Amino acid sequence: QVQVVESGGGLVQPGGSLKLSCTASGITFSIYAMGWYRQAPGKQREVVAKITRGGTTDYADYVKGRFTISRDNAKKMVYLQMNSLEPEDTAVYYCHIWNTIYWGQGTHVTVSS
């Protein structure tokens, strides 16, 4: 049974930082690319960042230079370090096993003073 679980969301002030974590079980984690998506209220889900099984990363333009995706294959974890957060980053953040049907339940990030 495949499970994807995110953690690390919360309330942060503009300019602050958060680190999201995601664990994926029930799969051979190391062979899959992983991604982070987000969905703001009233908006469609959008991709934030992707990391291939080899560690190559790609970012949406709106987070480049502020967010960093990384992975630890031994721990079956993927991370999203978010710096210089803006109110526009407020959303539910989802972890996704790339090109599969598997998603986490989401973790809420609120950027507000």
Side-chain angles (χ1 to χ4, degrees):
Q1 180 181 358
V2 179
Q3 285 190 313
V4 182
V5 180
E6 306 95 337
S7 61
L11 173 65
V12 63
Q13 292 187 339
S17 298
L18 276 178
K19 186 174 184 177
L20 306 183
S21 300
C22 168
T23 182
S25 59
I27 59 167
T28 305
F29 181 82
S30 61
I31 70 171
Y32 287 94
M34 298 292 295
W36 285 97
Y37 285 69
R38 69 186 185 186
Q39 187 166 17
K43 295 188 177 181
Q44 289 189 328
R45 193 172 297 188
E46 59 186 10
V47 65
V48 173
K50 174 188 177 184
I51 186 166
T52 68
R53 61 182 184 177
T56 301
T57 59
D58 194 18
Y59 298 91
D61 287 343
Y62 36 83
V63 304
K64 277 182 181 176
R66 301 189 297 124
F67 291 11
T68 303
I69 188 171
S70 61
R71 67 189 295 160
D72 185 332
N73 288 338
K75 295 181 179 179
K76 297 187 177 182
M77 298 285 292
V78 61
Y79 306 98
L80 186 68
Q81 176 67 47
M82 306 186 294
N83 299 328
S84 302
L85 282 161
E86 303 166 352
E88 293 73 22
D89 296 315
T90 295
V92 179
Y93 283 73
Y94 297 91
C95 183
H96 174 53
I97 304 173
W98 206 264
N99 282 337
T100 74
I101 62 172
Y102 302 111
W103 295 81
Q105 80 290 347
T107 186
H108 289 258
V109 173
T110 302
V111 185
S112 174
S113 55

